[in-house]
Amino acid sequence: MKRRKFIRNVSLGSIISGLTGFELIAAENNTKHADGFNLNYAPHFGMFQNHAGKDLVSQLDFMAAQGFRALEDNGMLGRPVEEQKKIAKALERLQMTMGVFVVDGGDNWKTSLTTGKEEFLENFINTCKRSVEVAKRVNAKWMTVVPGFYERNLPLGIQTGNVIEALKRGADIFEPHGLTMVLEPLSDTPELFLRYSDQSYAVCKAVGSPSCKILYDVYHMQRNEGNLIPNMEKCWDEIAYIQLGDNPGRKEPGTGEINYKNVFKFIASKGFEGIVGMEHGNASPGIDGEKALIKAYKEADQFKN
């Protein structure tokens, strides 16, 4: 055994007996799973608050202790600056990566990029500029963009053109900073404009920027189109970010019909080094539900390349 690893294990062993609750679970997991997971899974705040409490930094400490190396926080843009800085400092200390937050300028632009109206485009551009400031503050690289709802009084081609033009403007803002907006096709309502992986692929190709890529959410794509692995393969060169949830229910892997062990194996086989966001709820409440969630990821992550 290497000297550094031996000293680390002896030190951990000498203090575990004095720990309780969240600290004991964290120390045990650091001993057994010091190298974390095969893929870079990112929990979100609230997912482990029964273990760690409501304090955000304590939750980050707990995530890191379980082997998670990233965080997602859709609402980061709306957090106070001091809170953003506090989160960023904790992420740096824990050597965790910041995942996506949502470029959300309010319902007006979010439902109207398809229309091509200047007022909504201007709101979107201003929100992109604000997002650059936040991304720098928390060391984020990816921001989620949802074009909005299908506009029934406009032909599909016109709407697509409007969305592409808006995204080009957004890419012009993000590209000089090395940031990427990731387009997420969703299944929440049939009224949404962006719903399929091939549609998202076509839009990204038309925008033609490294700052405009696909956020492939396995849960949404299972609901909208299925055939997950072949469709991911077809769109792979435009996929920059991945999220997941099992279906039905949108809970952790193993609670629905998706064979996540095979999905994760495919993602790893592509050499994916980005973030796999845990964009789902807990199947069961309380501490036991959180333990079950961690166990589910450990089991689904047990694959051989």
Side-chain angles (χ1 to χ4, degrees), residues 31-260:
T31 303
K32 296 176 183 177
H33 303 283
D35 295 328
F37 298 92
N38 287 304
L39 297 175
N40 193 5
Y41 306 108
H44 54 78
F45 289 125
M47 188 165 268
F48 301 116
Q49 68 178 14
N50 288 288
H51 275 104
K54 293 186 177 181
D55 180 74
L56 301 184
V57 172
S58 294
Q59 291 184 45
L60 287 171
D61 287 335
F62 182 81
M63 292 173 193
Q66 311 315 306
F68 297 111
R69 308 188 305 276
L71 167 77
E72 284 193 344
D73 184 34
N74 285 342
M76 182 65 78
L77 187 64
R79 292 188 183 278
V81 170
E82 288 307 311
E83 191 169 59
Q84 293 172 0
K85 291 180 178 178
K86 182 179 179 181
I87 293 169
K89 185 177 180 180
L91 289 173
E92 183 178 12
R93 170 175 59 83
L94 295 166
Q95 297 183 326
M96 294 176 70
T97 303
M98 181 64 207
V100 290
F101 64 86
V102 178
V103 178
D104 187 352
D107 287 341
N108 284 338
W109 79 256
K110 198 171 183 180
T111 58
S112 303
L113 286 184
T114 52
T115 68
K117 292 183 178 179
E118 189 64 30
E119 61 203 86
F120 301 132
L121 178 60
E122 182 178 352
N123 197 6
F124 170 62
I125 291 170
N126 289 336
T127 307
C128 288
K129 292 177 180 178
R130 286 181 51 223
S131 297
V132 170
E133 297 174 5
V134 174
K136 289 183 176 180
R137 193 173 295 130
V138 300
N139 197 27
K141 297 180 181 179
W142 307 274
M143 285 73 63
T144 305
V145 169
V146 179
F149 287 96
Y150 185 86
E151 192 71 23
R152 292 191 173 276
N153 65 345
L154 287 176
L156 178 59
I158 301 299
Q159 294 183 67
T160 302
N162 290 338
V163 169
I164 289 168
E165 287 304 308
L167 295 176
K168 284 182 177 180
R169 298 283 295 276
D172 287 343
I173 294 168
F174 290 126
E175 195 168 331
H177 304 281
L179 304 176
T180 302
M181 56 182 172
V182 284
L183 312 183
E184 183 176 14
L186 297 169
S187 65
D188 300 312
T189 167
E191 297 300 315
L192 286 162
F193 169 79
L194 198 64
R195 290 180 53 80
Y196 303 106
S197 59
D198 65 328
Q199 178 193 18
S200 305
Y201 181 88
V203 170
C204 287
K205 287 298 185 186
V207 174
S209 168
S211 290
C212 183
K213 296 293 181 180
I214 297 172
L215 189 169
Y216 189 99
D217 189 312
V218 180
Y219 165 77
H220 289 300
M221 292 302 90
Q222 172 69 359
R223 296 185 71 200
N224 283 356
E225 62 187 28
N227 205 28
L228 295 170
I229 291 175
N231 284 341
M232 290 181 76
E233 179 70 67
K234 292 182 179 73
C235 297
W236 188 256
D237 65 333
E238 293 295 333
I239 294 175
Y241 202 98
I242 297 169
Q243 288 180 332
L244 65 98
D246 216 334
N247 181 63
R250 201 174 184 180
K251 307 299 182 184
E252 64 264 23
T255 57
E257 65 186 356
I258 301 174
N259 187 336
Y260 265 108

Side-chain angles (χ1 to χ4, degrees), residues 263-288:
V263 172
F264 291 160
K265 182 179 180 180
F266 167 78
I267 293 170
S269 75
K270 302 297 290 185
F272 186 74
E273 296 182 351
I275 290 176
V276 180
M278 299 158 62
E279 182 72 355
H280 58 75
N282 298 14
S284 300
I287 287 179
D288 288 342

